[in-house]
Amino acid sequence: MPELRCEAVRWVDDEPFPGIVEVQFVDAAGQRWSLIDKSSIFAQVAELAPDSVYPVKVTVACEVLGDIEATSGDPGPWGEP
């Protein structure tokens, strides 16, 4: 399964167990997105804790539903518009 590279940026709360963290990623258009969920969704329990030094590199399992074409007229990552 593909994985989206993200950074855990902060510990949100201790409850519910094992705790809640915020992770962020930047999409191809430069838009920053945040996901907030249980720490075990993003990493092994011991990797993310209230006393961890943030940011921490993590991944999120994802499903690719399809590709979209660039609509801005800017060259894509391979020089294609």
Side-chain angles (χ1 to χ4, degrees):
M1 178 171 280
E3 293 184 331
L4 179 65
R5 289 181 286 187
C6 303
E7 286 189 330
V9 295
R10 70 184 178 104
W11 184 262
V12 176
D13 200 349
D14 292 333
E15 296 294 331
F17 181 81
I20 304 295
V21 295
E22 177 182 3
V23 302
Q24 295 182 344
F25 67 94
V26 178
D27 68 15
Q31 173 71 42
R32 181 171 300 277
W33 297 90
S34 290
L35 306 171
I36 298 176
D37 209 330
K38 289 184 178 181
S39 59
S40 58
I41 297 294
F42 307 114
Q44 298 297 321
V45 174
E47 291 180 286
L48 298 175
D51 58 351
S52 295
V53 178
Y54 292 92
V56 176
K57 293 188 184 306
V58 296
T59 59
V60 176
C62 60
E63 180 180 349
V64 177
L65 300 178
D67 293 331
I68 60 171
E69 295 183 26
T71 58
S72 66
D74 295 334
W78 297 278
E80 301 168 358

